[in-house]
Amino acid sequence: MKPKWNVKRMKRNQITKIVVAIGLLLLLVASAAGSVRATPAYSGGDTDECGNSGCHDTLGTLTLASNSTSLSATTGEPFVLRIDAGNGAEWIAVQTTWADNSQFSISEMVIEDDSTNDTNAALGEITVDITFTPLSPGNLTIRVWTAAGSDLASSLDVAVTVTGQTITTTPPPEPLDLVGIWRLLMIIIPVVTGVILLILGIVAFRSNEQSR
Amino acid sequence: MAIHPVFVHFHTGILAATAGVALLNLFLRIAFKDSINTPGSRVASIFHQVDIFIYIGSIIGFLGLIAGVVTGFMEPDYPMAVLEGSAIMRFKILWSVVSLEIYLFLIIVRAKLGDRVWVKPSTYIPYATLILIGGGLMVLMGALGGLAVYNESIMAPLLDWAGIPWP
């Protein structure tokens, strides 16, 4: 039979090892959580135009064209613009905060290369039909951007002369913040996993001690 | 220069192989309990060699997984904004972190208990199950990586069958 002081020392050693294991797991979680607080993405709240603040500021290499760069329209009557981006384009975006884009209802605001709405199967080339519905009259400008890695970007302005009465619309519901949910899951799932593994570890070590 | 692909295939292969042999050891442990406790028997020899393979494979795979994660964040064409914007990449990052936790746990438990990890059901069932889960995650993330890069994967029909949505 082991003396009591020896059993106590063994328990202390066991606790030390468990604390070290918890520390390593928490370090892993903390480092992973820290790594996700980087740059906001298109799918989040980043609505600044490309070419600003050192982001996507290498202009002129990507191609961007539309089937029309000047047209007339009437409020409430939708029209379609075919946008073609190429030479390595990965995204096309038409954010409401750019130029007069907020004066239009826009069917597709962000299109990724080879996503469902991209009708051009070639890698680095995007073709998309975007439906615009003018909401107010005036000489308006639609601004479209394309972007890719290594800060590549290009923009295109389409002039639209809109006639008719102003249309008041209810704002669309906020899109589901998938990136926000993911950031939350990046904390919750590793922590829950760590706790489960810790419990399994304690059970395994205790079971091993009893079987000795 | 793309360096991530250089690192991803090795640990995916070795951890998937580790999961395969863990399944074998689990079978031997349950079906040939008496034989593996008989020193010098062929089953005991196979069992202990596979146990060593699992241990060493987990360590090497864990290191390879870390290298894969680090080089994944170093890809010039995939800055963090692009990674966050892709559902596939978000999935891969999240479950890579969980996989790192799992393999760290497996290595600590095996280092502490030695081959006694296979003695009691309370230790060998979680141990073998987590190796299988880790191997499954590695194969799944490899498949999603293939879908992200090549738009196709040999696993796509299986993902469809399992009801796992992929863009």
Side-chain angles (χ1 to χ4, degrees), chain A residues 14 17 21 24-25 28-29 32 35-36 38-41 43 90-91 114 150 178-179 182-183 185-186 189-190 193-194 197 200-201 203-205 207-212, chain B residues 62 73 76-86 89-91 93-95 97-98 100-105 108-109 112-113 116-117 119-120 122-123 126 130 149 151:
Chain A
Q14 194 70 23
K17 285 167 187 167
L24 282 172
L25 287 173
L28 201 63
V29 171
S35 70
V36 302
T39 317
S43 49
E90 294 174 12
W91 297 87
D114 286 342
S150 305
L178 292 175
V179 173
W182 172 76
R183 285 178 181 160
L185 290 177
M186 279 296 293
I189 292 182
T193 306
L197 293 176
L200 288 175
V203 169
F205 290 150
S207 171
N208 181 59
E209 286 294 326
Q210 286 167 4
S211 67
R212 278 184 165 184
Chain B
F62 176 71
F73 285 116
D77 288 343
Y78 288 88
M80 198 61 204
V82 173
L83 294 176
E84 282 192 326
S86 162
M89 294 304 171
R90 289 198 299 268
F91 186 95
I93 292 170
L94 174 58
W95 293 104
V97 172
V98 173
L100 282 171
E101 286 185 295
I102 289 174
Y103 283 108
L104 181 62
F105 168 83
I108 290 172
V109 168
K112 167 72 181 162
L113 302 185
R116 293 191 309 280
V117 75
V119 172
K120 285 197 160 189
S122 59
T123 54
L130 285 170
V149 176
N151 288 324

Side-chain angles (χ1 to χ4, degrees), chain A residues 193 196-197 200, chain B residues 15-16 18-20 22-23 26 65 91 95-96 98-103 105-106 125-141:
Chain A
T193 306
I196 292 170
L197 293 176
L200 288 175
Chain B
L15 292 175
T18 300
L23 199 61
L26 191 60
L65 183 55
F91 186 95
W95 293 104
S96 291
V98 173
S99 300
L100 282 171
E101 286 185 295
I102 289 174
Y103 283 108
F105 168 83
L106 291 171
I125 290 176
Y127 183 72
T129 305
L130 285 170
I131 294 168
L132 294 175
I133 290 172
L137 283 173
M138 288 300 108
V139 172
L140 179 60
M141 281 186 283

Side-chain angles (χ1 to χ4, degrees), chain B residues 5 7 14 25 41 47-48 52 78 80 116 125 155 160:
Chain B
F7 287 90
I14 199 161
N25 244 24
S41 72
F47 182 84
H48 289 292
I52 296 294
Y78 288 88
M80 198 61 204
R116 293 191 309 280
I125 290 176
M155 292 286 288
D160 287 336

Side-chain angles (χ1 to χ4, degrees), chain A residues 13-109:
Chain A
N13 288 343
Q14 194 70 23
I15 290 167
T16 306
K17 285 167 187 167
I18 290 169
V19 167
V20 169
I22 296 171
L24 282 172
L25 287 173
L26 287 178
L27 189 65
L28 201 63
V29 171
S31 61
S35 70
V36 302
R37 291 195 196 105
T39 317
Y42 274 127
S43 49
D46 187 2
T47 54
D48 290 342
E49 291 196 26
C50 296
N52 291 332
S53 310
C55 181
H56 289 290
D57 52 8
T58 306
L59 309 177
T61 57
L62 301 180
T63 60
L64 185 61
S66 168
N67 59 337
S68 175
T69 54
S70 177
L71 67 148
S72 298
T74 307
T75 54
E77 295 182 6
F79 62 90
V80 176
L81 286 179
R82 169 157 290 190
I83 309 293
D84 292 296
N87 201 25
E90 294 174 12
W91 297 87
I92 285 177
V94 196
Q95 298 282 6
T96 53
T97 50
W98 301 345
D100 299 320
N101 293 354
S102 62
Q103 304 302 314
F104 296 85
S105 169
I106 304 164
S107 62
E108 305 294 337
M109 295 172 70

